[in-house]
Structures are given as C-alpha cells and as structure tokens.
Amino acid sequence: MTHPLRFGVWAPVHGSRAARHDPDEPHDASWARNRAVVLEAEHLGYDSVLVAQHTVNPYDETRDQLEAWTASAALAALTDRIEIIAAIKPGLYHPVVLAKMALQIEHVSQGRFALNLVNAWNRAEFEQAGLPFPAHDERYAYGREWIALVDRLLRGERVGFEGRHFRVEDYQLKPAGTYRPRPTLYVGGESEPARALVADHGDVWFINGQPLEAVADLIADVARRPAAAGRLRYGLSAFVIARETDAEAKEEFARLLDLSRRDEALRADTRARTDAASVMFAKTDAAASHHVGTNGGTAAGLVGSYDAVAERIRAFHAAGIELFMLQFQPFEAEMRRFAEQVFPRVRV
C-alpha cells in the first residue's frame, strides 16, 4: 500500500458510545478520564485521537460533556507523539479566532494538531443558544467560506477578505508554518456539498462506518474529483468488538445491542433535535436497531475473531482507508485488547 495504516480512538468526551446502561462502562466524560485514555492510547501505539466538539451532551443533556478545544490544548502539552484532532463546527467560532487557537495548539504540540471540519447536526445546540442554524446546504456554503479563510490564516498569509459572511482586513497570524505549512484538515460528511468541500479544501475525508462496498464507492466518487491540496487520504469510523472466536464476539455484540435498545427514548429525543437532511443520521438511524456505536458504529463489520477483524481491516486498507478511528466499550479494556491482539496481526 502507498498509504500508511494508522489507528486512532474517539476520546470519551461524552462517555459511552454504544449503550448507556452498561454496568461495565459507568458514565464518565471527565477530563481526568479523557487524559488517562489519551495518554494510554499513545503508550499503546495508537496514532491519533479525535476529540468531538459539543457544548452539551448530544445524546443525553443531563450528562457531562467535555469541551473539545480546551481539552485538545491540554492534551497537546501532555503528549509527545499522538496526533490530536479537534472537531470544529464553523457556526460556533469566528474564523480568525479559531485559526489563532488552532495555530497555538499546533505550536504547543510541535506539529501534531489537526482540525476536523463538521457540519453541525444538533439543531438544539445552536437554537437554544440563540445562534442561527441554517438549512443543510446553506450551512455548507457558510462552512466553505469559513474554511477558505481559515486555511489562509493557518498558512500565515496576510489576508484581506470580503465574502457573504465575513470581512477581514489585512490580517496575519503568527507564529505559523513552524513545523509544516498548516495543520491537517479533516472533513466529515457524505452529502454532495461535503464531498465537494473535502475535494476543495481537505487533506483527509472522514467516512462513517458502513460496509466495505459502500466505502469503496464513496472513495471512488471523491477520488475522481481534482483535489486542491493534492492526493486525498481517507479515514473510517468504526466500533470494534474483537474476541478470540467469532462466537465470543457475537455474544458480546448481542449483549451491547440488547443494552442499547434501552436507550430508545434517548435516541428519539436525539432524532427530534437532528437536522433531517443530515446524511449521517439518515443512514445510521435507520440501522440503529441492528448496530451499536455512533457514526456508523458496528456497520463497518469490525466484529469477530481477532483474525477476522484483522482481515476486514486489511480489506478496507486495500480500498483506500488509511486511518481507522475506533470506538470501544468498555473503552479502556477493549482499547488495550485491540492493541495487544489486532495490532500485531495488521502491522507488519
């Protein structure tokens, strides 16, 4: 393969991602837990951590939620090797302010920082704060102007800009370009506006967990488009259940699936607050009764024996996936199991 194989973890910024009534995974979205998870992930050999951005817990507003950007800054100072990817919703931050924050974390981490541009889906997060929440395609138009401006500021350019949403006059941010031209830009979303945006501005496209054939088709579509930043790379979200045998993995899957069905009332509340035009939720909500985890979860098929999961990873890698952004439950124990059992089977 011409693209390296990398593994990352979703930081537990709002606790569990599979079932919220699991006795093996008490709710804990604290800074102390997230710090410990990321430091251990780095020690185990994981390459990246994704810190999702939410101001309130998107699945259960009564529970805690870690703030992404202050946490990412702290993680940058505590870690030595792991890539820190902070999600960002353009509607929450002015591009000049966000670009400056990103450059500071890039400087603290010595070139290990990345932004994950996402099109917000939680309507309530914006509307209850008195912030505008435009229609799906309009949010992407806003995000396109936003990232075009942020990209130039991250590169240390002196920027004069006047667009539909922003006006910036003779602005330059320093330090910039100390370790590389700019931090890496990940882009999420699978709608047509999202695909066009990643081709025009992204370095890596994050794809939600789904079967291999669907992922290959998505990659083929975006790979046909001219990429402004050069060759695009691809990442996949997936929930992993790996055991010694397929039967053991299926048994654990059944346990988590049964527990997750107790969260139906929470899922209904989430649906009520979700933009109906969100492609991610249109796909994953319809299949929620058959899968566990968020952002596609187990739909990627990383459920089975250690050998079967390793084989599945190799197949995705051959299709073009470079980075596997993984979810587990219980998180710490399964993160260790994956590193101990699957890493040696796929890292040759």
Side-chain angles (χ1 to χ4, degrees), residues 242-249 304-308 337 341 345:
R243 293 292 187 275
E244 191 69 39
T245 66
D246 286 336
E248 290 175 293
S305 69
Y306 302 133
D307 288 336
R337 182 196 300 271
Q341 298 295 338
R345 287 170 162 85

Side-chain angles (χ1 to χ4, degrees), residues 10-17 20 27 29 51-68 87 89 92 118-126 128 133 263-275 280-281 285 294-295 327:
W10 287 73
V13 295
H14 41 245
S16 64
R17 286 188 171 269
R20 290 162 184 82
H27 177 74
V51 187
Q53 185 194 41
H54 301 283
T55 51
V56 294
N57 190 305
Y59 305 110
D60 184 352
E61 64 180 8
T62 68
R63 294 189 170 190
D64 293 347
Q65 171 69 48
L66 191 75
E67 199 288 307
K89 299 167 185 172
L92 295 178
V118 295
N119 185 33
W121 54 264
N122 186 354
R123 187 175 62 250
E125 180 180 23
F126 283 73
Q128 290 178 208
F133 190 76
D263 299 326
E264 176 51 37
L266 289 173
R267 283 198 294 271
D269 182 62
T270 300
R271 285 194 295 271
R273 294 181 283 104
T274 298
D275 178 10
M280 177 184 78
F281 277 88
D285 190 58
T294 66
N295 298 79
Q327 303 172 13

Side-chain angles (χ1 to χ4, degrees), residues 84-275:
I84 301 162
I85 309 169
I88 179 64
K89 299 167 185 172
L92 295 178
Y93 287 94
H94 189 281
V96 167
V97 176
L98 192 283
K100 181 58 180 176
M101 291 168 60
L103 283 174
Q104 188 63 57
I105 302 176
E106 168 81 349
H107 199 68
V108 172
S109 68
Q110 298 184 323
R112 293 182 289 115
F113 185 62
L115 294 78
N116 176 29
L117 183 67
V118 295
N119 185 33
W121 54 264
N122 186 354
R123 187 175 62 250
E125 180 180 23
F126 283 73
E127 293 179 347
Q128 290 178 208
L131 296 170
F133 190 76
H136 179 276
D137 289 3
E138 182 59 28
R139 292 200 306 280
Y140 268 104
Y142 180 95
R144 174 176 285 275
E145 185 173 310
W146 186 96
I147 194 59
L149 181 52
V150 167
D151 193 338
R152 294 179 61 192
L153 290 165
L154 291 177
R155 296 179 186 276
E157 295 181 18
R158 184 171 294 279
V159 176
F161 182 91
E162 185 156 3
R164 180 182 170 191
H165 303 285
F166 304 107
R167 184 181 68 82
V168 175
E169 182 179 344
D170 195 30
Y171 226 98
Q172 187 177 32
L173 299 177
K174 294 290 183 182
T178 305
Y179 301 98
R180 50 186 173 166
R182 62 153 170 73
T184 303
L185 292 179
Y186 290 77
V187 177
E190 294 167 20
S191 65
E192 177 53 36
R195 300 181 197 197
L197 183 62
V198 71
D200 290 343
H201 291 285
D203 300 306
V204 185
W205 187 28
F206 262 143
I207 301 170
N208 289 309
Q210 50 201 291
L212 175 62
E213 297 76 13
V215 169
D217 288 344
L218 289 170
I219 290 175
D221 176 73
V222 172
R224 284 193 292 266
R225 307 172 187 227
R231 185 183 70 83
L232 277 173
R233 293 170 285 147
Y234 303 93
L236 181 72
S237 178
F239 191 101
V240 178
I241 303 175
R243 293 292 187 275
E244 191 69 39
T245 66
D246 286 336
E248 290 175 293
K250 290 177 181 177
E251 181 180 355
E252 174 62 9
F253 172 73
R255 184 187 78 88
L256 288 174
L257 186 61
D258 184 60
L259 284 169
S260 72
R261 287 172 177 153
R262 297 173 58 185
D263 299 326
E264 176 51 37
L266 289 173
R267 283 198 294 271
D269 182 62
T270 300
R271 285 194 295 271
R273 294 181 283 104
T274 298
D275 178 10

Side-chain angles (χ1 to χ4, degrees), residues 9 11-12 28 30-44 66 75 78-79 82 331-332 335-336:
V9 297
D28 186 355
S30 67
W31 159 246
R33 184 194 185 192
N34 277 268
R35 176 186 60 198
V37 164
V38 174
L39 287 173
E40 183 173 13
E42 181 175 63
H43 175 73
L44 290 169
L66 191 75
L75 291 170
L78 291 170
T79 54
I82 200 167
F331 200 99
E332 289 86 340
M335 177 178 71
R336 294 171 197 132

